[in-house]
Amino acid sequence: MTLYGSRKVASVAIEMALTDSREQEKEYKQRFSREGFKTAAVDYGGDFISSVNKIIERAVVASKREGVIKEQHADEGAVAGATREALSQVMPKAIGFNVGGKIGIARREDHISVAIFFGVGLLHLDEVAIGLGHRAVQS
């Protein structure tokens, strides 16, 4: 029996955030589902500061829509908190710029991880960053 902790769940969230297309998302989602993970991914973009609330909302909505979490306060708060943690890690690079990318969410049992892949726009000199947050909730 393999134990899946926060490290493996974080790895799955990062892989979901780095998918290139909806087709690849579906493929990864099916593969991870066979391993017992619930996953979701959602795109986002815009000015960083004005997008923070929308990014958190998109993460929570996608998590509920894809069955990663239940529609209950603790689960929604866990995803929102992990998303906010991920955002805080990339904030120094992103503040004042346009950003775009993908949010990857993964859950196995009581571990939830949110990975945010950012492309930070500066003319044609794009910077990239990944933020990662984790929360534990009752399964």
Side-chain angles (χ1 to χ4, degrees):
M1 180 173 129
T2 304
L3 296 176
Y4 292 93
S6 54
R7 180 177 177 180
K8 180 60 179 171
V9 176
S11 172
V12 170
I14 291 169
E15 287 190 62
M16 291 299 294
L18 292 175
T19 56
D20 292 325
S21 64
R22 294 280 181 228
E23 293 77 28
Q24 189 178 28
E25 277 178 33
K26 289 179 185 177
E27 178 188 321
Y28 279 34
K29 187 174 174 63
Q30 291 171 352
R31 185 180 91 207
F32 291 132
S33 179
R34 288 191 295 272
E35 297 176 30
F37 293 91
K38 294 178 181 180
T39 58
V42 63
D43 297 319
Y44 67 89
D47 173 67
F48 179 76
I49 293 181
S50 62
S51 296
V52 168
N53 285 341
K54 288 182 182 181
I55 291 169
I56 294 169
E57 287 173 12
R58 282 181 171 228
V60 172
V61 169
S63 297
K64 288 192 288 189
R65 182 185 63 233
E66 298 297 325
V68 175
I69 62 170
K70 296 178 182 131
E71 196 162 330
Q72 59 189 26
H73 189 71
D75 283 3
E76 292 172 358
V79 171
T83 304
R84 185 144 174 83
E85 172 62 28
L87 287 167
S88 72
Q89 294 171 8
V90 295
M91 192 177 301
K93 282 189 175 188
I95 217 156
F97 295 105
N98 283 325
V99 296
K102 190 174 284 190
I103 306 163
I105 304 143
R107 180 179 188 167
R108 175 144 180 156
E109 297 167 359
D110 56 353
H111 296 281
I112 296 176
S113 284
V114 176
I116 301 181
F117 172 75
F118 275 92
V120 181
L122 179 61
L123 301 172
H124 63 284
L125 307 170
D126 289 340
E127 183 66 73
V128 294
I130 294 178
L132 181 65
H134 172 269
R135 293 293 185 271
V137 293
Q138 281 189 319
S139 49

